[in-house]
Amino acid sequence: MKKVVLTYNSQGGLEYEQNVFGDFAGIVKIPCRTEEDLIKNCIDADAVICSYEPYTAYVMDNLPKLKIIAVKAIGVDTVDIEAARQRGIAVTNIPKYCIHEVADHTVMLMLSINRRLIQFNNSVQKDKLWKFDICKDISRFGEGTVGLLGFGNIPRLVTERLKGFGPKVIAYDPYVDEKIADEYGVDLVDIDDLYSNSDYICCHLPHNKNTEKTINKEAFDKMKDGVVFINTGRGKVVDEKALIDALDSGKVGYAGLDVLEEEYPDMSTSPLNGRDNVILTPHVAFYSQASVRDAKIHSAENILYYLKGEYSKCSIINGVKA
C-alpha cells in the first residue's frame, strides 16, 4: 500500500481523500511548517498533499521515496518546480477548484469599494448616524474601466460577472490569444495602457520569479490618480511597501486585498491595517464548503491517477511522468 502524507492543517478529517484512494493508499495528516518538519514527517511517503509548505530542493533530496507533490491549490509558488523536475518528482495542481469563489470575491471587493459599503456601515453601526452624504466621491461603476492583470480562468469569470454592471473591461496577458479575449468582449492591451486607462485594476498574476514584486513603484506611478487596486491572486507579486506609499500619497485611492506578501502576516503590526480605504480579507477568496471538498477530492485523484500511470487524468505542471 502506498503512503500519502497531508502536510497542511486541513479542515476536518481525511474521509474524502481516503474514499478516493480506497485500498490503494493510506493517508495521514501531519501539519508541517518548516523544511525540517517535512523531512522528518514525510521520509517514507510516496506522495504528499500540500498547501503553502516549503518543498525546496533540500527537502526533496531528503525524501527518497517521494514520487509526486500534489498541491491543493491553483498556485504552486511554494514548490521548487524545476528542482522537482530534475529529481523526477511530479508536481500537480488543481486549476479550477475555486475559480467561481475567487471571481465572486473579486467582484465583491470592487462593488464594496465603489459603493463605500464599509464606510456607510461603520457610519451607521459605530457612529449611529443615518446620513447618505458622508461619501461624496462615489462614481457610477458602469462608467468606469476595469483592468485585469492576467486573463486566465478566474479573470474570465470576473468578466462574465461584470457584464451586468456595464464597465469596460480590458486585460493584459501576453499568453492569451486575442480571439479568446474577443469571445468575452475584452480588449487585450499592453501593460502600460492598462495601468494608465483603468479605474479599477484587479491582479490575477501567478507568483514566480518573473512576476515577484512586478507591481512596484514604477507600476503604481503609471496608474491613474485614485485608482482602485484589487488583489485576489498572490501577495508576492506586489511590492507591499510601494503599495503603502501609493495609498499614503493618494495614487491608490482604495485597495481590496485578499493576500499580502506574507502568507501569515502579523496584523498587529501591518501598516495596511486600520485604514478606511483598505479592505482586507484573510486569503479567503477561495473558500466555500464546496471548494474545500473539491480540493480534497481532486488532490487525491491527482495522486491516485499518477501512481497508477494514468497521466492524462492528472494536472501535471512540470512534465514528469514516471
Side-chain angles (χ1 to χ4, degrees):
M1 178 180 286
K2 304 296 184 182
K3 180 175 180 179
V4 181
V5 179
L6 188 149
T7 60
Y8 69 96
N9 193 18
S10 68
Q11 293 182 337
L14 300 171
E15 294 84 3
Y16 287 115
E17 294 91 344
Q18 196 61 68
N19 284 340
V20 170
F21 293 137
D23 295 331
F24 181 79
I27 182 170
V28 294
K29 178 170 70 174
I30 311 176
C32 302
R33 293 289 291 270
T34 67
E35 291 176 307
E36 287 70 25
D37 289 342
L38 293 170
I39 293 168
K40 175 185 175 182
N41 295 317
C42 304
I43 189 69
D44 58 348
D46 298 284
V48 295
I49 302 176
C50 67
S51 182
Y52 301 113
E53 303 81 78
Y55 280 90
T56 62
Y58 170 67
V59 169
M60 296 176 212
D61 285 339
N62 286 278
L63 299 179
K65 292 185 64 179
L66 188 63
K67 299 177 181 65
I68 174 173
I69 299 169
V71 182
K72 183 210 67 74
I74 298 172
V76 293
D77 42 309
T78 59
V79 178
D80 189 329
I81 304 300
E82 180 58 22
R85 187 191 65 78
Q86 292 173 358
R87 289 157 178 77
I89 299 171
V91 180
T92 62
N93 72 341
I94 41 177
K96 293 187 177 181
Y97 85 104
C98 65
I99 56 177
H100 291 280
E101 286 84 355
V102 178
D104 290 346
H105 202 89
T106 302
V107 175
M108 178 271 295
L109 288 172
M110 276 190 280
L111 291 174
S112 296
I113 289 171
N114 173 259
R115 298 305 305 166
R116 306 295 189 258
L117 178 66
I118 303 300
Q119 287 83 352
F120 283 116
N121 177 74
N122 288 343
S123 175
V124 173
Q125 300 265 20
K126 295 181 179 181
D127 300 333
K128 312 303 179 187
L129 299 176
W130 191 261
K131 297 183 66 176
F132 77 92
D133 58 352
I134 64 168
C135 298
K136 298 182 179 180
D137 61 340
I138 299 176
S139 62
R140 180 174 288 171
F141 186 60
E143 294 180 355
T145 297
V146 175
L148 304 173
L149 288 169
F151 199 63
N153 290 320
I154 291 169
R156 293 176 197 182
L157 290 175
V158 169
T159 300
E160 291 290 337
R161 284 153 173 73
L162 290 175
K163 285 181 178 178
F165 296 98
K168 180 180 180 180
V169 181
I170 60 178
Y172 165 76
D173 194 322
Y175 303 103
V176 169
D177 191 284
E178 215 166 288
K179 292 180 181 178
I180 295 176
D182 289 342
E183 292 174 11
Y184 289 86
V186 170
D187 294 331
L188 282 182
V189 299
D190 67 38
I191 196 164
D192 285 349
D193 284 342
L194 185 140
Y195 288 151
S196 62
N197 290 309
S198 299
D199 301 293
Y200 301 81
I201 294 179
C202 302
C203 185
H204 300 284
L205 299 175
H207 173 240
N208 54 50
K209 63 182 180 181
N210 296 318
T211 62
E212 183 157 339
K213 294 192 177 182
T214 192
I215 314 300
N216 51 28
K217 181 182 186 304
E218 182 181 1
F220 285 118
D221 286 345
K222 294 176 181 178
M223 298 178 191
K224 284 185 176 183
D225 290 343
V227 68
V228 174
F229 181 75
I230 307 291
N231 190 6
T232 54
R234 284 290 183 261
K236 288 184 183 296
V237 305
V238 179
D239 182 332
E240 206 162 279
K241 182 181 184 307
L243 172 59
I244 291 165
D245 290 344
L247 284 161
D248 288 342
S249 71
K251 169 59 74 169
V252 173
Y254 293 85
L257 309 172
D258 187 54
V259 287
L260 301 179
E261 272 193 39
E262 297 299 323
E263 185 56 41
Y264 302 101
D266 182 355
M267 296 314 299
S268 66
T269 62
S270 173
L272 287 167
N273 210 1
R275 293 174 179 257
D276 292 338
N277 60 342
V278 176
I279 297 177
L280 297 167
T281 55
H283 202 164
V284 73
F286 77 95
Y287 182 80
S288 72
Q289 292 175 320
S291 69
V292 170
R293 175 202 65 211
D294 291 349
K296 289 172 173 281
I297 292 171
H298 297 324
S299 297
E301 287 176 339
N302 274 334
I303 290 173
L304 178 70
Y305 294 136
Y306 183 83
L307 293 179
K308 285 187 171 184
E310 299 178 42
Y311 304 123
S312 64
K313 297 180 180 180
C314 312
S315 178
I316 303 170
I317 62 173
N318 67 341
V320 174
K321 299 177 181 180

